[in-house]
Amino acid sequence: MFKNYLLTTLRQLWKHQGYTAINIAGLAVGIAVCLLIALWVKDELQYDQFHQKADRIYRVLWNGKFGDNEWKIPVGPVPVKSTLEDHFPEVEYVTQMSQSGITIKKGSEYVRETEMLYADENFTKVFSIKTISGDVNTALKEPNTIALSQSAAAKYFPKQNPLGQTLLKNDGTALKVSAVVQDMPTQSHFQFQFLGALNQLQFFKERKELWGFATVYNYFSLKPGTDPLALQKKFQAYLEQHTQEEHFKTKGNFSRFPFQALSTIHLDSNLEMELGVNGKRAYLYIFSIVALFILVLACINFINLSTARSITRAKEVGVRKALGSGRGQLMVQFFGESLIAVVAALIFAVAILGLSLPYFNTLAGKTMQLEWSGLPFLLGLLGLITLFTSLLAGVFPAVVLSGFKTIATLKGQLGSQLGRSRLRESLVVGQFSISTALIIGTMVVGTQFRFLLNSELGFDKERVLLIDRAYALDQNYGVFLEKVRNLPMVDNAGGATAVPGKLYDSTVFAPEQPANFKESSFNYVFADPAYLSTLKVKIHAGRDFRQNSRADSLSCIINRAMVKKLGWKDPLGKHISGGNGANFQVIGVMEDFHYLSLHHQVEPLILMTAPWSHPYIAIRLRTGNLADQINKVKGLWSELAPTAPFEYSFVEDEYQKFYTAEQRLGRVFFLFSVLALFIAGLGLFGLAFYMVARRTKEIGVRKVLGADVSSVVRLLTLDFLRLVLVAVVLAVPVAYLLLQRWLQDFAYRIDMPWWAFVAAGAIALGIALLTVSFQSVRAALKNPVTALKVE
């Protein structure tokens, strides 16, 4: 009997190849999306779980407020470690680390490596670092020694034993390789290729007793059974009583050090100065719901198409029942057909998964792969999806098809049995509501992204070449700047400690009184006199710095936001004192420019000039061939800094990195919009097939009575467009509220574009019209005699 069922099922599926292909394709896409999102969610949830003490490791944050400046960062003071170790026995080990870069000579070239981590000897006691060979602790204790990751060892010592070998830095320092460690898993919130001793860094030594400087990342492991919240309260109470510097105790100011569990860093922490790019837990919920929704939609379409086709199989059911088949046998037959279709869809879904995974990795910023280690998870997931999909998509059609009455099916009287199916109409409305909302989201997110990129920033970011680590020029810094400015394709060039798109530092300043603050923390930048003119930032009042002016070394320029913050009516000539005792006179007020992203209002900024080398040089290039212009600048660099690689980017590209999350979100919206429209279109196709089949005789009668093709098409099409129009009306307010809330994260944002709602509605209606037209025209062109002869 099973063989008979199987052969009958295969014949049915092969006989209706178009229907089978549509049904399996829709289901395969839904399952593939569900698999992709499930793999992504699994990858996100696995971050930092490979550490043996993952459930007992915490990071110390620094949440402070001074004057009008408040911050929360993952970097903290150096004395955090000694305080935890000396006064809190609940703490097992404390480790500190700092992230940096290193320039290494490889052959005749110098290579800049960005993943250099400096840590103390407790690093391997807190984190699970697998040693392949050598002694990691040597690199963590002794200066001029280094541990390499497997990748770095293979890069610099291919087919050699790296232990005992040396790497040469660009300053001539030889680093002895003491160990090779396994590459950090991709599911780690920090990465490194090189590991060295933290105690060799000069700034670390200078700040060992200072609580006012954000210097290192502090991590610690707790002894088993310790309550982290209770310890946090004790730690904070101890600091407030014994350790805090006096200026943090003044009224309105505070300095707190909350603990953050290692397991929450990747998904719940998006602070400035993170060790890597973190995710967002909210995205897990959103994408999981979307994945489940798309899978359910695919199952709904399967049901719609199966029950729609039941009209063409009604006589088959009647004949089977007349020949003695019971309802149970028919249910087994039809459920078997659904199960085979689901299995076929699963096979295609896995193929789609393999083909689309590289694109999805690019979209989500991942490196996921289908590996044997993940096979149990994938098989278990496939099993659950098979069970869920088979039950949802197979049971309902089987019950409906097997429930037809024998006499009615043989006479073609199915109207009373099938009913109007308000449920199917409601499902189509729901499908198109979600699709329309996703289309609106795609347009609004894209419009906001373009607004962020094209807004007036107060400076000109076009064609500004940015050289990183310019202090590598050393004594040739000034010579390089002069030679660059003399190049015919260069408009201007200036060096600074920060440029738009990079991190600006802050420290405590005391403004001349009367002011709104006695002292406060403000962002600042040291630059040479060409900084503002290179960026084309305008002077609102006063003047810019003069070239080679010693008097200006104790002068400063502030932006209008700072004037407003301090409450000064006439800022020119007033003084601002720095933390080192220097007293700067305000000689100019610059226009506000967005040196941070448009997520924030323009913050106060102090610009000071200094004769020393700066880490960045900004070069404004004139119109011309960029490749040739870059090569000419590179030639000068190679001449004056032969031991340092030429590292460059463009300010425009650096600034755009502020909006990577928005760009990625826009691509995700677009992808899910297309998929949702595809699946909704299939659902509408199924409903159209079903409703046209129900009204076949009505159409025949209308044509006999004189109705032309256009009137019949209009009659059938209007019913479907009505459903889609209802979906659009339902989607608009929901999309508006959700997107308005999303836009609140931006200090500068677009007004909600009305055209996005109109365009989304038009696209949904257009897709519906194209989907339904095929069935409507086909029914309208059908010979009325064919529709009526069964009577």
Side-chain angles (χ1 to χ4, degrees):
M1 183 176 289
F2 175 77
K3 181 179 179 182
N4 179 56
Y5 285 154
L6 180 62
L7 289 174
T8 304
T9 297
L10 294 176
R11 287 194 195 103
Q12 282 292 334
L13 294 176
W14 183 254
K15 182 179 178 181
H16 303 279
Q17 295 178 26
Y19 154 81
T20 302
I22 291 174
N23 225 2
I24 291 177
L27 204 53
V29 169
I31 294 173
V33 170
C34 193
L35 287 172
L36 275 172
I37 299 299
L39 289 175
W40 176 75
V41 169
K42 175 177 177 285
D43 185 86
E44 289 286 287
L45 292 174
Q46 284 184 330
Y47 264 75
D48 297 310
Q49 295 303 309
F50 62 91
H51 296 292
Q52 292 181 358
K53 302 176 182 178
D55 59 333
R56 295 190 282 125
I57 298 175
Y58 291 83
R59 180 170 72 175
V60 182
L61 303 178
W62 189 8
N63 179 204
K65 182 178 183 296
F66 192 79
D68 196 48
N69 188 24
E70 185 172 348
W71 64 90
K72 187 176 184 180
I73 53 177
V75 185
V78 176
V80 166
K81 178 181 179 180
S82 58
T83 305
L84 284 171
E85 288 178 334
D86 296 342
H87 302 284
F88 299 93
E90 304 97 322
V91 175
E92 186 180 42
Y93 295 107
V94 184
T95 186
Q96 296 179 317
M97 54 189 185
S98 177
Q99 194 178 52
S100 183
I102 186 172
T103 301
I104 297 174
K105 188 175 183 181
K106 186 175 186 288
S108 60
E109 297 181 351
Y110 288 90
V111 181
R112 180 64 180 173
E113 300 286 358
T114 58
E115 294 185 354
M116 175 73 193
L117 196 68
Y118 295 94
D120 60 28
E121 61 275 11
N122 284 344
F123 182 68
T124 55
K125 297 176 182 177
V126 174
F127 298 108
S128 300
I129 307 299
K130 296 183 179 179
T131 303
I132 296 175
S133 59
D135 182 11
V136 180
N137 289 327
T138 300
L140 297 175
K141 293 178 181 178
E142 298 180 9
N144 300 331
T145 59
I146 195 168
L148 306 181
S149 69
Q150 278 181 293
S151 299
K155 178 179 179 179
Y156 286 93
F157 303 102
K159 299 180 181 179
Q160 299 179 50
N161 181 6
L163 293 182
Q165 306 250 24
T166 58
L167 289 174
L168 194 65
K169 291 174 62 178
N170 62 328
D171 63 0
T173 303
L175 302 176
K176 185 178 179 180
V177 179
S178 69
V180 176
V181 299
Q182 195 174 77
D183 288 351
M184 290 290 285
T186 55
Q187 294 95 347
S188 172
H189 79 280
F190 67 88
Q191 297 287 332
F192 67 88
Q193 296 294 321
F194 305 85
L195 188 62
L198 180 64
N199 59 19
Q200 65 184 309
L201 299 179
Q202 187 61 34
F203 70 87
F204 173 76
K205 297 176 183 177
E206 293 171 352
R207 299 177 180 179
K208 277 197 171 183
E209 304 298 328
L210 301 178
W211 282 90
F213 292 89
T215 307
V216 291
Y217 297 86
N218 291 284
Y219 292 81
F220 65 90
S221 60
L222 286 176
K223 293 179 180 177
T226 302
D227 182 357
L229 290 178
L231 177 63
Q232 179 179 312
K233 292 178 181 178
K234 287 174 61 179
F235 181 63
Q236 185 65 35
Y238 179 88
L239 294 181
E240 290 177 358
Q241 184 177 359
H242 297 93
T243 314
Q244 292 261 311
E245 293 188 0
E246 188 62 33
H247 63 259
F248 283 112
K249 296 182 178 181
T250 56
K251 185 178 180 181
N253 298 329
F254 61 80
S255 192
R256 301 167 186 152
F257 297 91
F259 298 162
Q260 183 179 40
L262 178 70
S263 59
T264 67
I265 291 176
H266 178 67
L267 291 175
D268 300 318
S269 184
N270 283 280
L271 306 173
E272 289 185 358
M273 304 173 72
E274 291 283 0
L275 284 166
V277 178
N278 291 335
K280 289 186 178 180
R281 190 175 297 275
Y283 286 174
L284 261 64
Y285 300 134
I286 293 171
F287 291 159
S288 297
I289 292 171
V290 168
L292 182 62
F293 172 76
I294 288 180
L295 180 62
V296 170
L297 287 190
C299 293
I300 290 168
N301 289 342
F302 188 95
I303 293 170
N304 276 345
L305 287 169
S306 298
T307 52
R309 199 168 71 90
S310 64
I311 296 172
T312 64
R313 301 186 66 182
K315 290 184 180 178
E316 175 195 340
V317 175
V319 170
R320 283 176 176 272
K321 283 196 168 186
L323 294 176
S325 293
R327 185 171 186 179
Q329 291 175 308
L330 290 172
M331 286 185 67
V332 171
Q333 171 68 44
F334 294 127
F335 184 78
E337 290 182 17
S338 298
L339 183 59
I340 289 176
V342 169
V343 172
L346 277 171
I347 295 172
F348 282 106
V350 173
I352 293 171
L353 175 66
L355 292 172
S356 60
L357 196 56
Y359 171 75
F360 186 80
N361 280 336
T362 302
L363 187 72
K366 290 289 182 183
T367 57
M368 295 185 298
Q369 295 179 345
L370 294 177
E371 299 175 337
W372 287 108
S373 59
L375 191 60
F377 171 79
L378 186 61
L379 290 176
L381 186 62
L382 286 172
L384 287 174
I385 291 176
T386 303
L387 180 63
F388 174 81
T389 309
S390 299
L391 290 174
L392 187 60
V395 172
F396 184 73
V399 171
V400 172
L401 290 169
S402 63
F404 289 159
K405 296 179 181 178
T406 306
I407 302 299
T409 53
L410 292 174
K411 292 177 67 177
Q413 298 172 349
L414 292 176
S416 59
Q417 297 186 65
L418 294 172
R420 283 188 52 79
S421 189
R422 295 289 186 190
L423 176 61
R424 290 187 183 86
E425 294 181 359
S426 299
L427 293 174
V428 169
V429 170
Q431 288 175 331
F432 271 89
S433 293
I434 298 296
S435 301
T436 303
L438 286 171
I439 296 170
I440 295 171
T442 300
M443 293 181 175
V444 172
V445 171
T447 304
Q448 174 66 12
F449 179 64
R450 288 189 295 274
F451 169 78
L452 294 175
L453 294 183
N454 300 321
S455 293
E456 285 293 330
L457 300 174
F459 72 97
D460 186 357
K461 65 180 186 297
E462 304 292 332
R463 300 184 71 86
V464 180
L465 181 70
L466 181 63
I467 298 178
D468 198 357
R469 300 187 66 255
Y471 46 73
L473 289 160
D474 199 17
Q475 300 298 324
N476 291 325
Y477 178 85
V479 177
F480 177 81
L481 266 178
E482 184 178 352
K483 287 191 173 186
V484 164
R485 288 171 182 151
N486 289 332
L487 290 174
M489 82 288 186
V490 172
D491 189 52
N492 207 342
T497 55
V499 292
K502 297 294 186 179
L503 185 66
Y504 282 69
D505 206 348
S506 64
T507 191
V508 176
F509 289 93
E512 181 180 322
Q513 299 299 308
N516 290 335
F517 300 98
K518 185 176 180 181
E519 57 180 357
S520 186
S521 179
F522 295 111
N523 293 333
Y524 69 91
V525 57
F526 280 102
D528 64 39
Y531 179 76
L532 293 180
S533 56
T534 300
L535 295 177
K536 293 189 176 180
V537 177
K538 296 179 180 178
I539 296 292
H540 171 71
R543 64 173 178 86
D544 200 347
F545 296 118
R546 297 189 181 100
Q547 289 285 352
N548 304 317
S549 172
R550 288 189 176 182
D552 281 351
S553 62
L554 288 177
S555 301
C556 69
I557 299 173
I558 61 177
N559 63 353
R560 298 181 70 180
M562 186 162 183
V563 175
K564 182 178 180 181
K565 185 71 69 175
L566 294 176
W568 282 345
K569 293 183 179 180
D570 183 13
L572 297 179
K574 292 192 180 301
H575 290 79
I576 298 175
S577 298
N580 59 357
N583 198 22
F584 299 93
Q585 184 182 40
V586 178
I587 61 169
V589 177
M590 56 187 161
E591 292 286 354
D592 289 337
F593 69 99
H594 293 277
Y595 59 95
L596 301 176
S597 75
L598 293 177
H599 291 91
H600 315 281
Q601 296 282 349
V602 177
E603 296 184 7
L605 180 66
I606 303 173
L607 174 63
M608 297 165 286
T609 186
W612 55 76
S613 302
H614 298 301
Y616 300 104
I617 291 179
I619 304 172
R620 179 167 296 283
L621 301 173
R622 293 170 180 161
T623 304
N625 187 303
L626 275 179
D628 289 343
Q629 293 172 338
I630 292 170
N631 284 333
K632 288 180 181 178
V633 176
K634 183 179 180 181
L636 285 177
W637 177 274
S638 300
E639 175 189 337
L640 298 172
T643 63
F646 181 65
E647 301 176 57
Y648 75 92
S649 59
F650 283 89
V651 169
E652 183 177 14
D653 296 332
E654 292 295 329
Y655 201 81
Q656 187 171 329
K657 290 178 183 178
F658 282 137
Y659 311 118
T660 301
E662 285 73 31
Q663 190 176 23
R664 187 174 294 166
L665 184 63
R667 292 199 298 263
V668 169
F669 262 116
F670 176 75
L671 174 64
F672 285 138
S673 297
V674 171
L675 291 174
L677 277 173
F678 172 75
I679 294 175
L682 288 179
L684 194 59
F685 180 87
L687 185 60
F689 189 99
Y690 168 77
M691 294 183 70
V692 167
R694 284 185 59 247
R695 302 179 69 173
T696 299
K697 293 184 177 61
E698 176 191 345
I699 294 169
V701 171
R702 286 179 179 274
K703 292 195 70 176
V704 167
L705 295 176
D708 58 11
V709 173
S710 62
S711 64
V712 173
V713 171
R714 185 166 57 253
L715 173 71
L716 295 174
T717 303
L718 286 175
D719 282 344
F720 297 109
L721 294 184
R722 173 182 56 83
L723 294 176
V724 177
L725 191 59
V726 171
V728 172
V729 171
L730 292 175
V732 165
V734 175
Y736 178 86
L737 292 174
L738 292 176
L739 289 167
Q740 191 69 29
R741 184 174 180 180
W742 176 74
L743 287 171
Q744 298 303 315
D745 290 338
F746 300 89
Y748 301 90
R749 52 186 176 268
I750 59 172
D751 293 325
M752 193 69 73
W754 61 267
W755 56 264
F757 297 89
V758 175
I763 290 172
L765 289 169
I767 295 292
L769 189 60
L770 288 173
T771 305
V772 173
S773 293
F774 174 76
Q775 293 288 0
S776 299
V777 172
R778 183 182 175 190
L781 292 174
K782 197 171 184 179
N783 191 334
V785 176
T786 305
L788 297 173
K789 67 180 181 180
V790 294
E791 295 293 342

